[in-house]
Amino acid sequence: MRPISSLALTCLLTLAASAGAQTTSPTLEERMSQAEFHAAGLDKLSPEELAQLNAWLSAHGGGVRYVNSGGAQVFDTDQGERNVIESSIDGSFLGWNGRTEFKLANGQRWAQSESGHFDAGRMDSPKVRIKPMMLGSWLMVVEGCGCSVRVRRVQ
């Protein structure tokens, strides 16, 4: 473990004091799955480095803006205050295969944004809950199968 410098310690204590006055945002460990945390290499950080990164994200995460490859802003649901979306799949749900697009009864379309396959059998119009996650990502939870997948809005 690396020793922490007095400047870094001062910064951490200052950030911790100011964080106490604000609403605490979830840490990376709380926001990410263990596999995502490992894949990002965050398990290699010292506890002090991880605390510094969490403090920075807490202080700067609210103003992040997301744009597509053309520079245009992404959907409103990806900006500012992000609320849980509740709807249902429009039609049959079989699971996902790595490139699955989900059409919802509310007219929105969401696409699988992580790799992987899941066979849910056949479900007709299951209810879904899409909730905001870390760094602008979204998690779709499908009722009745106990499954969830990261998604991004496409329409």
Side-chain angles (χ1 to χ4, degrees):
M1 184 181 284
R2 293 182 230 154
I4 188 167
S5 72
S6 60
L7 177 59
L9 183 58
T10 302
C11 289
L12 283 173
L13 292 174
T14 302
L15 286 170
S18 66
Q22 303 170 7
T23 304
T24 317
S25 63
T27 65
L28 287 168
E29 303 94 304
E30 296 167 331
R31 296 178 186 185
M32 300 174 87
S33 71
Q34 191 173 23
E36 291 168 326
F37 192 80
H38 177 72
L42 296 173
D43 56 335
K44 297 173 189 167
L45 297 175
S46 70
E48 294 82 12
E49 291 167 327
L50 188 56
Q52 181 67 30
L53 180 57
N54 278 319
W56 188 92
L57 287 172
S58 177
H60 295 89
V64 175
R65 298 238 176 223
Y66 298 93
V67 296
N68 64 19
S69 58
Q73 285 191 351
V74 191
F75 298 96
D76 290 340
T77 55
D78 292 334
Q79 311 291 326
E81 187 175 332
R82 300 181 331 136
N83 298 310
V84 172
I85 297 163
E86 294 186 5
S87 188
S88 60
I89 300 287
D90 185 13
S92 295
F93 172 73
L94 304 172
W96 53 86
N97 62 18
R99 294 186 210 123
T100 305
E101 189 172 295
F102 307 95
K103 182 180 177 192
L104 303 185
N106 66 7
Q108 295 178 351
R109 288 186 181 270
W110 293 77
Q112 180 181 352
S113 63
E114 65 183 343
S115 62
H117 303 332
F118 181 78
D119 181 8
R122 182 182 178 93
M123 299 174 71
D124 290 320
S125 303
K127 291 182 180 181
V128 296
R129 184 173 192 185
I130 301 174
K131 57 186 183 176
M133 301 300 283
M134 177 184 155
L135 299 175
S137 69
W138 294 86
L139 184 70
M140 183 176 78
V141 179
V142 182
E143 190 176 293
C145 76
C147 57
S148 61
V149 63
R150 292 212 185 253
V151 293
R152 62 181 164 71
R153 185 160 175 204
V154 294
Q155 181 181 5

